[in-house]
Structure formats: structure tokens, C-alpha cells
Amino acid sequence: MTFTELGLNARMVSRLGALGLTKPTPIQEKAIPQALQGRDILGIAQTGTGKTAAFGIPLIVALSKQQERPAPHSARGLVLAPTRELAGQIVQSLQGMTADLRITLVVGGKSINVQAEKLARGTDILVATPGRLIDLMDRRAIDLGRTRFLVLDEADQMLDIGFIHALRRIAPKLSKDRQTMMFSATMPKAMAELSRDYLDKPVRVEVSPPGRVADKVSHSVHFVAKDRKQDLLIELLRGHRDDRALVFSRTKHGAERLMKHLDKAGFAATSIHGNKSQGQRDRAIAAFKAGSVRVLVATDVAARGIDIPDVGHVYNYDLPNVPENYVHRIGRTARAGHSGRAIAFCAADEVAELKAIEKVLGTRVEIAGGRPWEAMKAAPKSPQKRRTRQRSAGRSDRLAA
């Protein structure tokens, strides 16, 4: 199958070719023809499989056919993303696909006055995080009444309580006569309710079972005492100093402490988390992409927004308290046809998290080191309260993003 066979014109095919996109991925092959017909789409696919182009291409084609100019303070199409990093990545991808449409980014951490000035001219495609969009709506800087295309990217993360309430404020402001596309890497039960609320007779396109790890990722777990995690991480990082490594910490304070420890150990390391300004986060990711920094320590704010093909290793220094995030985290490696390794650390008090991850995956995670029965023996008898506290802490960190 080629992009031409999907119904795209020669100009679009040429632009995609210039981006190195010569053959549609499975999710693109299934979603694009349906979206070009104006159908609502519910797309499920692993991270790194080309979801942005799957919704971006039909969105650009539809807007280009209409040949309208956006009215002041309006947006013809709206793409919502849960994090600043992902929103920025979407804008870069869309800009590569068209030079004719005005694409505007609004996220927290940037001047809201500057963003309001840009929106005063109107825009063809608005890419936004929900919180900042609501701030602009409250200022009457944007009117979504003419918006006839809505995309929810990484919709499962939108289910976070801070985002779902925002979505309920945003969606009713859009044109009732609209096309909606919802894309996600996982399909928790609550997604069905979300799709019923916002999609009209959607076509479901799925190229991998929810929770499936990308084929070219090898992933394993080390059972290790909490106070031995830093030493183990340093030992493993020394084995591949020339490779980029992404290290996930559960909290922003933990990420910053770990980054400083790695820096003292002689690694070129930086960090991104909710306490960092947008400028600091942008510079950290730019340095990581350029290779001047080889180790990036991050909270889940980065799990869906980093698209760097040659991240060789992902470390789950702390296991995520939301099991689906394990798939998103390790999806930061083995991108664009590359292979990669994901290594998790499991302390005695994280056994419940590991069990939840394995339940989502439908399989056991390979053991790379340590003795799991010792961790099982030391695990707390009632982890539910601890997980609830962790979820609250994690939610605060994500909303700070």
C-alpha cells in the first residue's frame, strides 16, 4: 500500500516523501481512508507507530479542500494533547506536512498574552494543552464555535481527572457538526465511555492489542533494594556510555535528585519535570536530541512527548503507579524501525505495581537480576492505600506540567 493508493494527491505525497514517509504504517493505512470520508475515528496503536500522521494527514487534506481563511479569534481544527512536549511534537510534524495552513501552538509555560495575539488573527489548526486553552477561552481570546475538526491525541491520558474536566468544558463549545478523531496507545475501560460521549458512530481502527509492547523492544526487570537503585543504574549506564538513555522517576523531586547524582558520577545528564520552566524543558530535550546530553531523567510528563529515534535504553527507575504508563515509557525506545532495551527496577514496595503492569501486558516481565521471592516477602500486605497516595502525587506532577 502507498500513500497514493490511500487517496492522497501528488502534492501531499511529495511532501510526505520529503519527510522520509514513503509507505504508510498500519495505523495510517487503516485510519486515513476512513478519516478522508469524514468518519469519526477511534484509533488504538502503540507509541511510535505514526499516529500523528494518521490524524494529521486527513486533517490537513480536509482543511485544504475547504479553501477558507480562519476568522479572527477562531480555529478551524483543534488538536488536544495532554503535555506540552507532545503538543510541540505534533506542531513540528504538522508543519512538515503543509506550508499552506496556519498552525498555532498554545501551552502552559509560555506568554499567554503572546498566544492571545496570535489567535486574534485566527488559525487553521490549533494545537493545545487543555489547561492553557481554557485560560484563553476565559479571556475570550478564542472562539471554538467554528471549529469543525477535533483530535484527541493520547486520549487515555486525558482521562486523568484534571484533563477530563477540562475536556468537558471545551468540547461543548465546538461546532456540533464536526469530525472527531481519538487516538491512544492503550484502551482502558473508561475510554469506551469517553468515545461514546465525544464520537459519533466511530470507526475503530486497531493495529495492536492494548498494552502490547513494540516488537523491537526487549524489556526486563531487576529486583533491587531501594537504596541500591542508584548504584545499579550507574553500573548499567557505564555499559553503554555512547547511547542515549531515558530514565523515568516517579516524582519531580526524585528526578532532580537522581539527575544531580548522575552528574556527580560523571554522566552528561539533565532532567525535565513539572518544576522546570518550559524554556528549561525545551533546552533539556534539545541537548538530549543533539547528543550533548546522553542521559535524560524525566517524570511521566515526558512519556508521550519525546520522539527521538535513537534512544537506545529506557530505565524505569521507579515503576509507574499507573500500569498503562509502562507501555508509554518504554515506547520511547525502538522508534522508527530501531531496536531498544527497557530495564525496570523493582524494590520490595513496588511489587504491586509490577503485578499490575504484568496484568496489563498479559505476560510476565523477564527477570534480569535479583531474587523476586525476597521482594515478594518484603512487600506490604495492603498496597492499595500507598498506590492511592502515589496516584495523587503523580496527578499533581502531571497537572503541574
Side-chain angles (χ1 to χ4, degrees), residues 1-10 12-13 16 24 27-41 53-66 97 149 179-181 183 203 205:
M1 181 70 70
T2 66
F3 283 113
T4 300
E5 291 172 321
L6 293 184
L8 303 183
N9 61 37
M12 174 60 82
V13 172
L16 294 175
I27 187 65
Q28 293 163 7
E29 189 174 315
K30 291 185 177 182
I32 290 174
Q34 297 290 342
L36 288 175
Q37 294 178 26
R39 300 290 302 274
D40 282 7
I41 302 294
F55 67 73
I57 290 171
L59 177 60
I60 289 170
V61 169
L63 291 173
S64 298
K65 282 182 177 179
Q66 292 179 357
M97 298 176 200
F149 299 91
Q179 179 183 15
T180 303
M181 292 181 276
F183 283 80
V203 176
V205 291

Side-chain angles (χ1 to χ4, degrees), residues 269-305:
T270 189
S271 63
I272 59 171
H273 49 71
N275 277 354
K276 296 281 188 177
S277 70
Q278 188 59 46
Q280 290 174 316
R281 287 156 65 161
D282 290 344
R283 288 190 293 273
I285 292 178
F288 189 54
K289 285 184 176 180
S292 57
V293 166
R294 291 292 178 177
V295 183
L296 177 63
V297 185
T299 56
D300 280 315
V301 70
R304 319 242 183 148

Side-chain angles (χ1 to χ4, degrees), residues 116-333:
E117 290 174 4
K118 289 182 179 179
L119 291 174
R121 296 178 294 163
T123 188
D124 293 298
I125 301 175
L126 176 60
V127 182
T129 49
R132 176 49 59 95
L133 179 57
I134 285 179
D135 291 341
L136 289 161
M137 290 167 59
D138 289 342
R139 291 187 174 209
R140 297 186 178 180
I142 181 68
D143 179 2
L144 299 176
R146 299 169 186 246
T147 305
R148 300 185 62 182
F149 299 91
L150 172 63
V151 177
L152 304 177
D153 196 17
E154 303 294 1
D156 50 351
Q157 193 171 352
M158 293 286 183
L159 290 171
D160 179 276
I161 188 169
F163 295 129
I164 193 64
H165 289 316
L167 183 59
R168 286 173 179 156
R169 284 192 59 188
I170 294 168
K173 302 297 184 181
L174 277 69
S175 169
K176 292 183 179 180
D177 180 22
R178 69 168 189 263
Q179 179 183 15
T180 303
M181 292 181 276
M182 183 184 298
F183 283 80
S184 175
T186 62
M187 186 66 182
K189 292 181 179 178
M191 278 281 290
E193 179 180 348
L194 194 68
S195 65
R196 285 196 298 269
D197 289 343
Y198 297 106
L199 276 68
D200 180 26
K201 300 177 182 177
V203 176
R204 175 166 171 157
V205 291
E206 183 174 343
V207 298
S208 62
R212 180 180 172 182
V213 176
D215 293 336
K216 292 191 176 183
V217 177
S218 63
H219 61 118
S220 58
V221 61
H222 283 265
F223 290 92
V224 57
K226 184 169 291 187
D227 59 3
R228 287 280 301 158
K229 282 187 176 184
Q230 286 186 353
D231 291 341
L232 177 58
L233 178 61
I234 289 172
E235 176 186 340
L236 294 174
L237 287 174
R238 283 175 176 162
H240 54 84
R241 278 188 175 273
D242 293 335
D243 289 345
R244 287 180 179 83
L246 180 55
V247 181
F248 282 103
S249 171
R250 181 176 294 124
T251 68
K252 49 196 174 185
H253 298 294
E256 193 67 14
R257 285 195 303 268
L258 180 57
M259 182 274 291
K260 291 178 179 178
H261 187 84
L262 293 175
D263 185 66
K264 289 180 180 179
F267 293 93
T270 189
S271 63
I272 59 171
H273 49 71
N275 277 354
K276 296 281 188 177
S277 70
Q278 188 59 46
Q280 290 174 316
R281 287 156 65 161
D282 290 344
R283 288 190 293 273
I285 292 178
F288 189 54
K289 285 184 176 180
S292 57
V293 166
R294 291 292 178 177
V295 183
L296 177 63
V297 185
T299 56
D300 280 315
V301 70
R304 319 242 183 148
I306 295 180
D307 186 9
I308 302 173
D310 52 355
V311 174
H313 292 74
V314 168
Y315 288 93
N316 280 285
Y317 186 83
D318 298 314
L319 290 180
N321 45 57
V322 178
E324 289 83 4
N325 281 354
Y326 178 84
V327 177
H328 300 308
R329 288 180 177 187
I330 69 177
R332 297 307 100 193
T333 188

